[in-house]
Amino acid sequence: MSELTVRIWRGLEAENGEFQDYKVPRLESQTVLDVVTYVQRRVDASLSYRFACRVGVCGSCAMSVNGVSRWTCRTHVSKVAKDGLLEIAPLRNLPVIKDLVTDMSVFFDKWAKARGQFQGEHTRHEAFAQVKPDSKARKNVDAAIECIGCGVCYSSCEVVSWNADYLGPAALSRAWTLVNDVRDVAQKERLQAVAGDAGCQACHTHITCTERCPKGISPTAGIAGLKRAVLNASLKGEL
Amino acid sequence: MRSIKVQVILWGAQRLSALVLALCVLVHLATIIYAVRSGLTAAHIVSRLHQSSLWTVFYSLFVLAIAIHAPIGLRTVVAEWGYQGRIIDGLLGTIALALVVGGFRALFALQGLA
């Protein structure tokens, strides 16, 4: 049976950690998450990592694999292992708690900061809002609504690495779905929240988030939409 | 840290000036290529530009677009290096002023307006 050499980041903080090598049997249809799980169950039980569903729904198993952020449960070893070598590290742009586990509070706090919460005005006693499935706004929502919050885009974003205040692709993409939600009544506040040097205007359109998103979402397109919406609001004096 | 409104205005101004610059640079380059076809002399340049109101308007627009575009872009670069605040904004304002003064000084000299 052939073997994989797996280098895994170990340590309590990014600065104090180091890579350690492990040998893992190479199996057919093996995923990167399978490899990490093998190490934790058979080689070193002290290895910390995060996963839940194993089928690409929950968004908790994202890691940096050979330098690229990926969802590990849906990433086949055959796709990423160069010469039988895997280097697995925690997501970038987030503080490391231990080994492969990052503290994602900043990531999710920024969703809240970008007014990622839906705010309606109808109660259960009123009729449902009617939104045409083929309307432009609804299509914009559809394009970005399947985000699983894995943090791959945030970890890949160069602007986040330069500017710690930048809200990041996921939070802005979420805000864009709500800007297009015709039922939402907090539009002005949301545009204020996503505007400016720490918001959509900071995006350099490198498109790394779009390239890496495992769900095929384009946060770049959403951010471009936000830029237009913010500029329009600003010209109308509504910002 | 400027207010959100100012940040958006700066961003919009940079986009708009980029649009102007894209056109100006194209015209500028095309003119250079056309103008040097039979050698380049100072006399040729001056004779083409001297007291031409069309070129005065064109290069005035060019200078203004540069003076708006460059400092705002620098501001973003410097902010990503970790420097921002009133002193930086003051320095960038000075750069903008220097670009306007230097640009119009050269333009007026060539047009024979000064």
Side-chain angles (χ1 to χ4, degrees):
Chain A
M1 188 187 292
S2 65
E3 267 190 337
L4 269 174
T5 304
V6 188
R7 311 187 68 208
I8 299 182
W9 182 266
R10 302 299 308 270
L12 286 176
E13 288 169 50
E15 291 81 13
N16 297 330
E18 57 178 6
F19 281 104
Q20 281 181 26
D21 286 7
Y22 302 90
K23 293 284 181 198
V24 176
R26 178 77 176 87
L27 303 170
E28 212 193 327
S29 302
Q30 197 173 19
T31 66
V32 175
L33 185 64
D34 291 337
V35 169
V36 177
T37 301
Y38 179 91
V39 172
Q40 203 263 348
R41 293 196 181 161
R42 308 282 178 89
V43 187
D44 185 348
S46 71
L47 173 66
S48 300
Y49 67 111
R50 212 183 256 137
F51 77 99
C53 76
R54 298 170 292 121
V55 288
V57 174
C58 74
S60 53
C61 71
M63 299 167 201
S64 176
V65 184
N66 286 355
V68 176
S69 305
R70 296 180 179 279
W71 54 355
T72 56
C73 70
R74 297 285 300 268
T75 302
H76 279 243
V77 171
S78 56
K79 191 183 165 189
V80 288
K82 290 169 197 149
D83 309 319
L85 183 78
L86 273 185
E87 189 182 272
I88 304 172
L91 287 178
R92 275 181 292 217
N93 293 337
L94 290 164
V96 175
I97 297 172
K98 181 177 176 287
D99 303 337
L100 301 171
V101 178
T102 55
D103 180 356
M104 296 189 74
S105 339
V106 190
F107 175 68
F108 288 114
D109 285 349
K110 284 180 178 177
W111 286 46
K113 221 171 164 185
R115 293 216 51 137
Q117 319 87 337
F118 170 74
Q119 195 167 330
E121 59 178 348
H122 287 188
T123 66
R124 68 180 70 183
H125 304 295
E126 285 153 276
F128 288 121
Q130 305 243 341
V131 181
K132 282 207 161 87
D134 57 353
S135 66
K136 195 175 167 224
R138 177 65 234 196
K139 281 180 176 172
N140 285 340
V141 175
D142 283 342
I145 202 67
E146 296 293 342
C147 173
I148 55 174
C150 63
V152 162
C153 59
Y154 189 84
S155 165
S156 307
C157 177
E158 292 87 357
V159 181
V160 173
S161 64
W162 299 324
N163 178 0
D165 293 330
Y166 177 49
L167 292 170
L172 290 171
S173 185
R174 168 64 185 161
W176 174 242
T177 63
L178 290 168
V179 165
N180 282 284
D181 193 324
V182 293
R183 303 162 304 163
D184 193 282
V185 292
Q187 298 297 355
K188 191 182 165 189
E189 293 83 353
R190 185 167 298 106
L191 286 183
Q192 279 171 345
V194 300
D197 293 346
C200 62
Q201 263 77 31
C203 170
H204 284 252
T205 324
H206 287 174
I207 320 186
T208 321
C209 55
T210 302
E211 190 182 294
R212 304 270 164 85
C213 174
K215 298 291 287 180
I217 296 168
S218 173
T220 315
I223 295 168
L226 286 180
K227 285 175 178 173
R228 286 192 298 273
V230 164
L231 191 64
N232 284 339
S234 166
L235 291 174
K236 286 182 198 158
E238 290 168 2
L239 203 64
Chain B
M1 198 63 168
R2 298 285 173 183
S3 78
I4 294 291
K5 221 175 205 170
V6 174
Q7 289 170 20
V8 173
I9 289 170
L10 285 176
W11 177 85
Q14 208 204 12
R15 290 302 158 109
L16 195 67
S17 57
L19 199 72
V20 174
L21 278 178
L23 285 172
C24 287
V25 169
L26 278 179
V27 172
H28 183 64
L29 288 177
T31 311
I32 291 172
I33 292 164
Y34 172 77
V36 298
R37 75 200 185 286
S38 53
L40 185 68
T41 63
H44 268 129
I45 298 171
V46 172
S47 73
R48 189 172 54 254
L49 296 181
H50 195 70
Q51 291 182 339
S52 155
S53 49
L54 188 70
W55 284 118
T56 307
V57 170
F58 174 76
Y59 278 110
S60 300
L61 196 66
F62 204 160
V63 167
L64 287 176
I66 292 168
I68 293 169
H69 191 81
I72 302 175
L74 281 175
R75 182 176 174 273
T76 307
V77 173
V78 171
E80 281 169 4
W81 288 346
Y83 304 102
Q84 47 190 349
R86 277 177 190 283
I87 296 172
I88 297 288
D89 286 349
L91 277 173
L92 292 168
T94 313
I95 291 173
L97 201 66
L99 287 170
V100 170
V101 171
F104 276 109
R105 190 171 164 268
L107 178 61
F108 287 168
L110 278 171
Q111 309 302 121
L113 298 171

